[in-house]
C-alpha cells in the first residue's frame, strides 16, 4: 500500500524527500548557499545583457556611436563579472559536491552494513551498488539544479512583467504560449518519470551482473564459459538499454512537437509585433526589447517543466536511497539493549527452528548447550545445517522460532557489540580485503601493535610466509585476497580471529583449505587454547574433532546424537559411517 502511494509521488512526498536530503548533506550546506548567491548574480547579469544589446541596436539605428560604445563597454564589464561569478560558483559547487557525495555515500554504506543478512541474500549486489554510486549523486545535485532553475525562473518572471509594461498584447500572447508549452512539457515529464523508474531497476540488475562477471572472471575462464556468459550479459544489457532507448525516443518525440509549436508561435510573435507596430500600439524599441527577451519568456515554462523533471528524477533516486536508510523496504538488524562486555561463553539453543526462505526449514527444533571454555564440535553431512547454527549464534539472521541464550541472556536482548565483540567466526571462505596484510588485521583492532600482529600470525602459522614476501606485512593482497592461496587466506582469517581475542571462537571448516602439515600446526594452536576459550568447531575431517568435550551430530536440520567420540562411535550409526568413510 505504502509503495502504491509512493508511485504517485505527490508534491508532499517530493517536499519530504527534499527535507530529508537536506539533512543528509549537512556539511556542504554553507557552500551551497553561497553558490546560490553567485547563481543569482550570474542570472541578473544574463537578464541585463539582452536589454543592453537592444539599447545598443537602437543607438546604432539612431547613429549615436558614442553612446553605443559606452553601452558596449558596460556589456563587456557585465560579461567579465559573469565569468568571475561563474568561476566562484563552479568552484564552490565542486567543493560542495565532492564532500557531500562522500558524506551521503558513507551514510548509505553504513546503513547497508546494518541490513539484515537475509536482505543481502535476496538482492543482487547491483541494487546497492547503483544506489551508492548514482542515486546519491542525484540527491546531492538536486539542490544546485533546483536553485539554478528557480533563480532563472524568477528572472524570467521579471522579464515577463517588463513585457507587460512594453505591451499588454504581447504579454498576453507570451502567457498563452507559455501555458501551452508547460502543459505539453508536463505530459512529457510524467511519461519519462515512469520509464525512468523501470529503466533504473534494469540497470541495477546489470550492475550486479557486471560485478559478478568481474569477480567470477577466473571461474568463467576455467569453465571456458566466456561465450555463453557474454551472450547472457549482452541480452541483459540490451534489455536495459532498450528501455533507455524507449525513454529517450519518447522524450525526443515530445521535444520535437514542443519545439515545432514554439517555432510556430515565434513566427506568430513577429507577425503580431509587426501588426502592433503598424497600428502604433507598439514602439520599435518595445518590439526590439520583446524580441531580445523572447527566448527567456519562452523558457519560463520550459524551465518550470525542467524543474518538475528534475524533481521527479530526484524523487526516484531519493526513494531508492531512503528505502535502504529508513528500514522500510529493506529490513535492518535490530539488537537489544543489554551490554555484555566480556562473555563467559555459555550458550544454549532452545528449540530453534529456522528457514532462509520461510518455506523449507533448515533447522528443525534444535536444542543444545555449550558451557564456557568447552570445545564442542558439530558434524554431519553437507547441507545438514551446521553453518546455519553458527550464523544464528552470531545473529546474522533473526530467529523467528525458539530462543538462543548467551550467558543465560536471550540473544534478542543483547546489543550488537555484546554479540559480535564476543564472538569470532572463521568461515570456509573468509573474505580478505584489498589492503595490506597489516591493514586486514587492523580491521579488527585499530591500535594493534607490531608485536601483537607478529604473535597472532605466528599462532596462525602465517608469519614465515609473510616474511618471505618482498613487502612483508605491507603487501597488498588484491581483491578478496586474490594473491593468496586458499590456505593463506584461511590462516590470515585465523590470525584476525586470534587478534580479536574473543572468548568465543567458531571455526566453520576453517582449516579445510590447509595442507596437512599446516593443519596439524593450527590444530595444535587450537589445542593450546582449549580450556581457556569456548570453541565451537564444524569439521568434515572427524579426526580434527576427536578431542572435543562434546560432539553434536547434525542431520537434516536436527541434532540426532551427542556425546564424546568413543560414545558416538558406539551409539550413532551416522557418526560411525562418517568416521569409517574417512578412515577409508
Ligand atoms: P552445512 O554447514 O551443514 O553444510 P548449511 O547450514 O550451510 O549446511 O546449509 C543448510 C541448508 O541451508 C542447505 O540446504 C543450504 O542450501 C541452505 N542455505 C545455506 N545458506 C543459505 C542462504 N543464505 N540462503 C538460502 N539457503 C541457504
Amino acid at each position: 500500500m505504502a509503495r502504491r502511494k509512493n508511485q504517485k509521488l505527490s508534491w508532499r512526498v517530493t517536499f519530504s524527500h527534499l527535507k530529508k536530503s537536506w539533512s543528509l548533506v549537512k556539511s556542504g550546506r554553507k557552500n551551497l548557499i553561497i553558490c546560490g548567491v553567485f547563481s543569482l548574480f550570474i542570472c541578473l547579469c544574463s537578464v541585463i545583457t539582452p536589454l543592453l544589446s537592444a539599447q545598443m541596436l537602437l543607438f546604432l539605428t539612431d547613429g549615436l556611436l558614442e553612446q553605443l560604445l559606452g553601452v558596449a563597454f558596460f556589456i563587456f564589464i557585465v560579461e567579465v563579472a559573469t565569468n568571475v561569478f561563474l568561476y566562484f560558483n563552479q568552484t564552490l559547487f565542486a567543493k560542495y559536491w565532492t564532500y557531500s557525495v562522500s558524506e551521503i555515500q558513507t551514510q548509505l554504506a553504513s546503513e547497508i552494513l546494518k541490513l539484515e543478512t537475509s536482505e543481502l541474500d535476496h538482492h543482487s549486489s547491483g541494487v546497492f551498488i547503483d544506489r551508492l554510486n548514482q542515486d546519491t549523486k542525484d540527491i546531492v545535485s538536486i539542490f544546485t539544479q533546483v536553485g539554478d532553475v528557480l533563480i532563472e525562473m524568477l528572472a524570467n518572471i521579471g522579464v515577463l512583467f517588463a513585457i507587460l509594461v512594453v505591451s499588454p498584447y504581447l504579454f498576453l500572447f507570451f502567457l498563452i504560449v507559455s501555458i501551452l508549452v508547460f502543459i505539453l512539457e508536463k505530459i512529457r515529464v510524467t511519461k519519462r518519470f515512469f520509464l525512468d523508474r523501470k529503466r533504473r531497476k534494469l540497470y541495477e540488475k546489470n550492475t550486479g551482473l557486471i560485478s559478478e562477471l568481474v569477480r567470477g572472471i577466473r571461474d568463467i575462464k576455467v569453465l571456458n564459459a566466456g561465450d555463453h556468459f557474454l551472450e547472457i550479459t549482452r541480452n541483459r544489457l540490451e534489455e536495459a538499454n532498450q528501455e533507455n532507448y524507449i525513454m529517450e525516443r519518447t522524450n525526443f518525440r515530445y521535444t520535437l512537437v514542443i519545439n515545432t509549436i514554439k517555432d510556430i508561435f515565434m513566427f506568430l510573435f513577429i507577425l503580431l509585433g509587426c501588426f502592433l507596430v503598424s497600428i502604433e500600439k507598439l514602439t520599435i524599441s518595445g518590439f526590439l526589447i520583446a524580441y531580445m527577451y523572447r527566448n527567456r519568456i519562452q523558457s519560463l515554462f520550459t524551465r518550470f517543466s525542467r524543474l518538475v523533471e528534475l524533481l521527479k528524477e530526484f524523487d526516484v533516486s531519493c526513494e531508492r536511497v531512503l528505502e535502504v536508510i529508513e528500514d522500510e523496504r529493506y529490513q535492518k538488524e535490530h539488537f537489544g539493549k543489554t551490554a555484555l562486555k566480556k562473555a563467559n561463553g555459555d550458550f544454549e539453543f532452545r528449540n530453534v527452528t529456522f528457514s532462509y526462505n520461510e518455506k523449507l526449514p533448515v533447522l528443525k527444533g534444535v536444542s543444545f548447550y555449550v558451557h564456557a571454555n568447552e570445545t564442542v564440535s558439530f558434524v554431519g553431512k553437507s547441507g545438514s545445517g551446521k553453518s546455519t547454527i553458527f550464523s544464528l549464534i552470531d545473529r546474522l539472521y533473526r530467529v523467528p522460532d525458539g530462543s538462543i541464550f548467551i550467558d543465560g541472556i536471550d540473544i534478542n536482548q543483547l546489543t550488537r557489540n555484546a554479540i559480535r565483540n564476543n564472538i569470532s567466526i572463521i568461515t570456509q571462505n573468509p573474505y580478505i580485503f584489498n589492503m595490506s596484510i597489516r591493514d586486514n588485521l587492523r580491521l579488527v583492532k585499530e591500535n594493534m601493535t607490531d608485536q601483537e600482529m607478529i604473535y597472532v600470525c605466528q599462532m596462525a602459522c602465517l608469519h614465515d610466509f609473510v616474511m618471505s614476501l618482498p613487502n612483508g606485512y605491507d603487501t597488498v593482497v588484491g581483491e578478496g585476497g586474490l594473491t593468496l592461496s586458499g590456505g593463506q587466506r584461511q590462516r590470515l582469517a585465523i590470525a584476525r580471529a586470534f587478534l580479536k581475542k574473543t572468548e568465543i571462537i567458531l571455526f566453520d571448516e576453517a582449516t579445510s583449505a590447509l595442507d596437512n602439515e599446516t593443519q596439524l600446526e593450527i590444530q595444535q594452536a587450537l589445542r593450546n587454547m582449549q580450556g581457556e576459550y569456548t570453541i565451537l568447531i564444524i569439521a568434515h575431517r572427524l579426526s580434527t574433532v576427536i578431542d572435543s568435550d562434546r560432539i553434536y551430530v547434525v542431520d537434516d536440520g536436527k541434532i540426532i546424537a551427542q556425546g564424546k567420540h568413543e560414545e558416538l562411535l558406539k551409539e550413532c550409526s551416522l557418526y560411525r559411517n562418517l568416521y569409517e568413510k574417512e578412515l577409508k
Side-chain angles (χ1 to χ4, degrees):
M1 190 64 197
R3 302 240 357 111
R4 277 242 182 101
K5 205 167 81 192
N6 273 354
Q7 267 178 10
K8 280 195 200 155
L9 280 176
S10 65
W11 286 108
R12 197 173 49 77
V13 174
T14 306
F15 186 66
S16 137
H17 280 166
L18 282 171
K19 229 166 98 183
K20 285 175 183 165
S21 302
W22 185 247
S23 66
L24 289 175
V25 292
K26 268 187 238 96
S27 62
R29 283 187 217 158
K30 204 175 87 196
N31 283 334
L32 192 62
I33 292 167
I34 306 175
C35 225
V37 174
F38 280 116
S39 296
L40 197 66
F41 281 127
I42 295 164
C43 196
L44 275 179
C45 293
S46 70
V47 170
I48 295 169
T49 318
L51 198 64
L52 293 173
S53 307
Q55 188 57 51
M56 212 166 67
L57 285 177
L58 287 175
F59 283 145
L60 185 69
T61 45
D62 294 344
L64 302 169
L65 293 183
E66 210 172 295
Q67 283 88 336
L68 184 147
L69 285 177
V71 176
F73 182 70
F74 194 59
I75 291 179
F76 165 71
I77 299 287
V78 170
E79 296 284 358
V80 171
T82 307
N83 285 339
V84 174
F85 289 143
L86 198 63
Y87 165 76
F88 284 115
N89 176 285
Q90 285 169 338
T91 312
L92 281 173
F93 172 69
K95 199 169 167 192
Y96 152 77
W97 199 86
T98 310
Y99 289 110
S100 299
V101 166
S102 336
E103 185 179 23
I104 193 170
Q105 281 179 334
T106 314
Q107 278 185 64
L108 184 60
S110 103
E111 297 301 330
I112 292 173
L113 277 177
K114 291 181 200 153
L115 288 178
E116 276 288 349
T117 319
S118 53
E119 294 291 359
L120 304 170
D121 289 350
H122 295 150
H123 294 97
S124 106
S125 56
V127 169
F128 304 109
I129 295 174
D130 272 10
R131 280 160 218 241
L132 261 172
N133 245 345
Q134 191 50 51
D135 294 328
T136 46
K137 290 178 187 159
D138 292 348
I139 291 180
V140 170
S141 305
I142 192 69
F143 294 108
T144 42
Q145 288 173 326
V146 167
D148 286 351
V149 174
L150 278 179
I151 288 171
E152 209 174 311
M153 276 176 66
L154 209 70
N156 291 354
I157 289 172
V159 168
L160 191 66
F161 281 98
I163 299 291
L164 177 64
V165 176
V166 169
S167 161
Y169 302 105
L170 284 184
F171 170 79
L172 204 65
F173 174 80
F174 277 127
L175 199 64
I176 294 167
V177 176
S178 303
I179 291 172
L180 192 78
V181 169
F182 168 66
I183 293 169
L184 286 168
E185 286 279 359
K186 194 167 179 300
I187 299 170
R188 178 183 70 82
V189 167
T190 312
K191 186 98 189 146
R192 188 188 154 97
F193 167 69
F194 287 104
L195 290 172
D196 187 30
R197 184 183 252 170
K198 198 167 158 198
R199 182 189 61 133
R200 290 208 218 178
K201 277 256 161 286
L202 288 169
Y203 269 15
E204 67 190 23
K205 275 193 198 154
N206 285 353
T207 308
L209 186 76
I210 290 165
S211 115
E212 264 195 296
L213 172 92
V214 176
R215 276 186 296 142
I217 217 152
R218 286 163 165 250
D219 290 82
I220 294 171
K221 277 188 185 179
V222 173
L223 292 167
N224 200 16
D227 290 344
H228 184 55
F229 202 90
L230 279 181
E231 188 61 31
I232 298 173
T233 312
R234 185 189 305 121
N235 289 341
R236 294 248 207 111
L237 292 179
E238 266 176 13
E239 197 188 341
N241 292 335
Q242 180 75 12
E243 273 311 314
N244 190 43
Y245 167 69
I246 293 172
M247 189 182 87
E248 293 302 353
R249 194 186 54 191
T250 314
N251 209 23
F252 294 148
R253 279 181 185 165
Y254 277 100
T255 310
L256 175 69
V257 173
I258 293 166
N259 283 345
T260 313
I261 290 175
K262 277 195 218 162
D263 291 341
I264 293 171
F265 277 103
M266 266 315 108
F267 183 62
L268 290 179
F269 158 71
I270 298 194
L271 290 185
L272 179 67
C274 291
F275 173 69
L276 290 174
V277 171
S278 71
I279 59 167
E280 295 188 350
K281 291 273 180 203
L282 180 69
T283 60
I284 296 209
S285 59
F287 182 45
L288 212 53
I289 288 170
Y291 186 78
M292 286 293 183
Y293 278 128
R294 73 196 185 288
N295 287 334
R296 282 209 152 262
I297 296 165
Q298 226 191 72
S299 74
L300 175 61
F301 284 91
T302 332
R303 289 278 101 194
F304 185 64
S305 59
R306 176 69 192 137
L307 180 70
V308 178
E309 185 172 31
L310 282 173
L311 288 172
K312 295 270 180 202
E313 278 172 12
F314 156 77
D315 263 332
V316 179
S317 299
C318 195
E319 186 189 55
R320 285 156 54 88
V321 169
L322 291 178
E323 270 177 355
V324 180
I325 290 184
E326 292 191 334
D327 196 9
E328 209 180 88
R329 177 150 179 228
Y330 298 95
Q331 290 193 331
K332 298 270 172 59
E333 292 180 315
H334 289 288
F335 293 91
K337 295 208 162 63
T338 310
L340 189 63
K341 198 146 180 49
K342 203 161 171 62
N344 288 329
D346 287 303
F347 274 109
E348 190 183 347
F349 264 52
R350 214 178 276 170
N351 214 10
V352 172
T353 296
F354 174 79
S355 70
Y356 286 102
N357 51 20
E358 289 165 15
K359 283 183 197 137
L360 279 177
V362 173
L363 298 182
K364 304 165 187 166
V366 169
S367 298
F368 68 87
Y369 65 90
V370 177
H371 294 309
N373 301 336
E374 277 188 332
T375 297
V376 170
S377 301
F378 294 81
V379 297
K381 287 185 218 152
S382 174
S384 56
K386 304 180 296 293
S387 302
T388 306
I389 292 178
F390 277 21
S391 298
L392 295 187
I393 293 176
D394 211 26
R395 185 48 191 82
L396 290 177
Y397 296 90
R398 277 184 202 170
V399 181
D401 216 346
S403 309
I404 299 173
F405 297 92
I406 299 180
D407 283 4
I409 307 168
D410 189 319
I411 201 167
N412 292 325
Q413 290 172 13
L414 290 171
T415 59
R416 180 205 314 262
N417 284 349
I419 302 168
R420 306 236 166 110
N421 281 352
N422 278 304
I423 299 173
S424 298
I425 299 194
I426 304 158
T427 58
Q428 303 169 34
N429 297 307
Y431 197 87
I432 307 298
F433 296 89
N434 189 12
M435 308 171 177
S436 67
I437 294 175
R438 185 189 301 278
D439 287 341
N440 262 291
L441 288 164
R442 215 179 253 150
L443 276 178
V444 292
K445 192 171 181 192
E446 233 179 311
N447 54 357
M448 152 192 96
T449 63
D450 276 8
Q451 274 160 321
E452 278 177 306
M453 176 178 76
I454 292 168
Y455 174 70
V456 293
C457 286
Q458 279 170 340
M459 291 260 289
C461 310
L462 187 70
H463 179 70
D464 292 344
F465 159 71
V466 177
M467 292 322 287
S468 72
L469 298 169
N471 291 326
Y473 281 95
D474 293 314
T475 308
V476 177
V477 294
E479 250 179 72
L482 197 76
T483 58
L484 301 177
S485 72
Q488 287 156 355
R489 279 203 287 272
Q490 278 192 337
R491 278 184 274 164
L492 183 50
I494 291 171
R496 250 182 348 201
F498 285 152
L499 188 65
K500 208 173 153 195
K501 236 181 172 175
T502 55
E503 285 303 303
I504 303 153
I505 303 178
L506 314 181
F507 285 90
D508 183 352
E509 308 264 348
T511 52
S512 58
L514 303 182
D515 57 71
N516 278 343
E517 199 178 324
T518 316
Q519 195 170 103
L520 286 176
E521 285 180 48
I522 289 185
Q523 272 166 20
Q524 190 51 50
L526 268 177
R527 258 184 225 118
N528 295 342
M529 294 163 76
Q530 279 185 13
E532 283 181 50
Y533 296 85
T534 306
I535 302 171
L536 274 66
I537 303 172
I538 295 175
H540 263 310
R541 298 191 211 182
L542 298 194
S543 52
T544 58
V545 299
I546 289 173
D547 289 342
S548 305
D549 295 313
R550 202 170 323 104
I551 301 167
Y552 288 108
V553 183
V554 187
D555 189 33
D556 191 22
K558 291 185 218 134
I559 293 198
I560 58 160
Q562 60 170 297
K564 287 207 172 248
H565 172 69
E566 305 299 337
E567 292 163 1
L568 288 172
L569 274 185
K570 278 188 221 142
E571 290 162 18
C572 178
S573 57
L574 177 65
Y575 186 82
R576 199 167 44 246
N577 285 346
L578 289 171
Y579 189 66
E580 279 167 6
K581 256 191 214 154
E582 190 174 311
L583 284 184
K584 272 182 206 161

